[in-house]
């Protein structure tokens, strides 16, 4: 029991120390327009295609799970992590490169790609009618990016026990897990990542019994058997472009698209958190989710960051200096 308590304390202290190394307004003197530049860049892409918002959020999330939040997912190369299977369909690289090139013109060698990505994820949520928050900055860019290290990324096939382990390895608890998965309120996926739930879940041709029958019919229309596996589908069919709590109502009602999302309802600990967010009074519970999501994102974006003299400040986000 003492070991568990000490382990939890160590993780907590590590997060507190890391957040202490980062600070809000890190660039206020060295590059005063850094955050405004990222915001205007994200906004210009968002105005042309609002689905870039979940793309940027996922890009940041996937960055933080491998080597920490160090921009390593942005590096190009045949063996780089962005080419790993769990990173299939990652989007938004051009937004980060655009912001970076503008910032290099204004403040050469000052603003890290890792910070640009963390700021862009915040702005993407804000533009989707979600919450905004102060992003602690001061991350440095990593020099290592290996696809072989991406196996610890959460997968749509993961049972709760595996999801829990992958998050706890990053100092994130059940509450963080459910809260961060709530980002799927604006997320998208492809038919190939969940069609097995619709047609051959038990290898006898049956569908996943946890899917609401009416919703199953809807999904089978969207993704016909042996149809186009690359067809994109919104993870929240009720309000796909709005950052809200309807995703949690879907999980509660058997209307989650990814198996990993629906499994949140099958575990008593994660179910209670989903229920708290889903509730019945939309307004009040929306505010609570917004508040909790801000906290969880600050915690996520502080995972294993490089600060001080670690890493580097890349000149171009897709390659090390």
């Amino acid at each position: 029991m003492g070991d568990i308590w000490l382990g939890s304390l160590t993780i907590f202290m590590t997060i507190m120390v890391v957040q202490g190394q980062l600070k809000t307004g890190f660039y206020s003197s060295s590059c005063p327009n850094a955050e405004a530049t990222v915001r205007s860049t994200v906004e210009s892409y968002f105005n042309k295609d609002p689905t870039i918002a979940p793309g940027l959020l996922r890009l940041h999330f996937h960055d933080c799970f491998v080597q920490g939040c160090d921009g390593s997912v942005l590096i190009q190369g045949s063996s780089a992590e962005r080419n790993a299977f769990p990173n299939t369909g990652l989007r938004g690289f051009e937004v980060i490169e655009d912001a970076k090139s503008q910032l290099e013109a204004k403040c050469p060698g000052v603003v890290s790609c890792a910070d640009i990505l963390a700021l862009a994820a915040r702005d993407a949520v804000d533009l989707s009618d979600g919450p905004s928050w102060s992003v602690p900055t001061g991350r440095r860019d990593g020099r290592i990016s290996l696809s072989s290290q991406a196996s610890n990324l959460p997968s749509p096939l993961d049972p709760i026990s595996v999801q829990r382990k992958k998050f706890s390895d990053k100092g994130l608890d059940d509450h963080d897990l459910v809260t961060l998965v709530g980002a799927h309120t604006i997320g998208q996926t492809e038919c190939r990542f969940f069609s097995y739930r619709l047609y051959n879940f038990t290898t006898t041709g049956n569908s996943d019994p946890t899917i609401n029958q009416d919703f199953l019919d809807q999904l089978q229309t969207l993704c016909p058997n042996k149809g186009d596996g690359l067809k994109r589908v919104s993870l929240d069919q009720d309000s796909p472009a709005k950052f809200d709590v309807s995703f949690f109502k879907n999980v509660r009602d058997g209307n989650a698209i990814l198996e990993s999302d629906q499994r949140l309802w099958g575990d008593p600990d994660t179910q209670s958190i989903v229920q708290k967010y889903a509730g019945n009074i939309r307004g009040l519970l929306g505010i609570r989710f917004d508040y909790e999501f801000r906290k969880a994102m600050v915690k996520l974006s502080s995972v294993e960051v490089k600060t001080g003299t670690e890493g580097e400040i890349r000149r171009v986000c897709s390659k090390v200096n």
Side-chain angles (χ1 to χ4, degrees), residues 198-213:
L198 312 181
Y199 302 104
N200 201 27
F201 186 69
T202 58
T203 69
T204 56
N206 297 331
S207 59
D208 183 340
T210 62
I211 305 176
N212 178 300
Q213 185 58 51

Side-chain angles (χ1 to χ4, degrees), residues 227-238:
D228 179 8
L230 299 179
K231 181 180 178 182
R232 299 189 71 78
V233 175
S234 296
L235 291 172
D236 179 356
Q237 291 289 302
D238 296 332

Side-chain angles (χ1 to χ4, degrees), residues 22-192:
L22 301 177
K23 67 174 188 177
T24 305
F26 182 84
Y27 299 108
S28 56
S29 307
S30 57
C31 193
N33 293 323
E35 296 200 19
T37 301
V38 175
R39 168 72 186 211
S40 63
T41 306
V42 173
E43 197 162 0
S44 69
Y45 283 86
F46 178 85
N47 288 339
K48 288 180 283 197
D49 176 15
T51 68
I52 199 64
L56 290 166
L57 193 50
R58 182 174 180 239
L59 195 56
H60 178 51
F61 186 93
H62 282 228
D63 181 38
C64 292
F65 259 78
V66 184
Q67 291 274 337
C69 311
D70 68 346
S72 54
V73 76
L74 304 171
I75 295 173
Q76 285 183 323
S78 58
S79 61
E81 66 187 68
R82 68 195 272 180
N83 291 327
F85 182 73
N87 284 328
T88 300
L90 280 183
R91 303 172 59 216
F93 297 100
E94 72 284 4
V95 183
I96 307 304
E97 288 290 3
D98 190 343
K100 177 63 171 172
S101 64
Q102 293 176 56
L103 289 169
E104 282 300 296
K106 295 174 183 176
C107 325
V110 173
V111 184
S112 69
C113 300
D115 275 344
I116 294 171
L117 185 48
L119 292 165
R122 183 267 312 271
D123 295 335
V125 173
D126 184 34
L127 288 164
S128 303
D129 293 331
S132 185
W133 60 92
S134 297
V135 176
T137 42
R139 295 166 192 79
R140 306 263 297 174
D141 295 323
R143 295 190 181 99
I144 297 168
S145 181
L146 296 169
S147 58
S148 57
Q149 296 183 343
S151 58
N152 66 335
L153 278 164
S155 158
L157 305 175
D158 287 344
I160 287 295
S161 59
V162 175
Q163 294 185 58
R164 187 173 272 136
K165 173 75 166 62
K166 288 178 177 179
F167 275 73
S168 68
D169 284 348
K170 300 298 175 187
L172 302 167
D173 59 23
D174 278 7
H175 198 271
D176 301 316
L177 162 61
V178 176
T179 304
L180 291 167
V181 169
H184 286 169
T185 178
I186 55 169
Q188 293 185 319
T189 189
E190 295 171 357
C191 289
R192 59 180 167 155

